[in-house]
Amino acid sequence: MENKYRQTVSVNIPIENDVAYSLFAQGFLISIPQKDEDNNCYVFKFLGDTVFCLFYTFANFRRAYIATAWLNKDDGEAFYLPGINIPLYIIFKAKGRKIDELKHALYILTKTDHYAPFRLKIDFWKELALRIEYKDCYREKIIYTYNKYATKARRIEL
């Protein structure tokens, strides 16, 4: 029997500088991040069935991902990333300037409510990813896309 719901995702953000990357994660947290038992990292737990964003910095490059827990083969191939406890469904992968555009979109969307965009379904994130990918990610378009998927009470005014 296949899962109907996506699992909670634990993201381990390293504390020490002895790992090859740094990581920033943003999404719908289900608890206050805690240090792991070995005090090597902070553990961020993101609510199952929600989307989150990961920003990796390696020695020579950066990557950003819009992701959620992998559910089944309908999500395509499961993707594994450093510091994540389960396979992921990657909605969007960014590098270079696209990372900055994703950060800018998140800044606009989380300005009044930090969790607002992370309550939305995957379809919103796919559309936002398309806007970023095809250089159509202006403030008005970001808010229009958000309002299209948000409930009336949570809409953002232009």
Side-chain angles (χ1 to χ4, degrees):
M1 187 167 108
E2 289 188 2
N3 288 338
K4 293 181 182 179
Y5 302 102
R6 297 180 191 279
Q7 299 178 43
T8 294
V9 177
S10 293
V11 176
N12 300 313
I13 299 188
I15 296 171
E16 301 298 323
N17 291 331
D18 61 349
V19 293
Y21 65 91
S22 64
L23 174 59
F24 175 77
Q26 193 172 2
F28 198 103
L29 292 171
I30 59 172
S31 63
I32 296 172
Q34 303 288 326
K35 285 185 179 180
D36 71 346
E37 294 173 3
D38 301 327
N39 286 332
N40 292 330
C41 62
Y42 282 99
V43 179
F44 286 66
K45 292 186 178 184
F46 294 104
L47 186 64
D49 279 332
T50 63
V51 172
F52 50 90
C53 296
L54 302 166
F55 297 89
Y56 286 90
T57 303
F58 294 89
N60 297 323
F61 63 94
R62 303 179 300 156
R63 292 289 182 269
Y65 301 91
I66 299 174
T68 189
W70 186 81
L71 185 60
N72 56 43
K73 62 184 178 186
D74 293 338
D75 285 344
E77 186 177 344
F79 204 80
Y80 294 86
L81 290 172
I84 311 296
N85 68 330
I86 60 172
L88 299 176
Y89 167 43
I90 302 297
I91 298 164
F92 180 66
K93 179 170 79 169
K95 58 184 181 178
R97 180 80 179 122
K98 305 254 188 260
I99 295 171
D100 300 322
E101 291 179 25
L102 174 58
K103 285 181 178 180
H104 179 68
L106 289 174
Y107 170 77
I108 291 167
L109 295 170
T110 60
K111 200 170 185 177
T112 56
D113 179 353
H114 182 73
Y115 294 123
F118 303 106
R119 291 184 182 102
L120 299 179
K121 301 292 180 195
I122 290 174
D123 290 341
F124 160 75
W125 292 97
K126 287 179 179 178
E127 189 169 333
L128 180 64
L130 286 172
R131 290 201 177 280
I132 294 169
E133 185 65 33
Y134 295 106
K135 299 178 182 170
D136 192 27
C137 202
Y138 304 102
R139 182 180 183 278
E140 293 78 17
K141 300 257 181 140
I142 293 167
I143 292 172
Y144 169 79
T145 303
Y146 173 81
N147 286 342
K148 186 170 139 181
Y149 291 93
T151 62
K152 196 171 188 176
R154 293 199 183 273
R155 291 192 179 146
I156 300 172
E157 296 295 322
L158 282 173

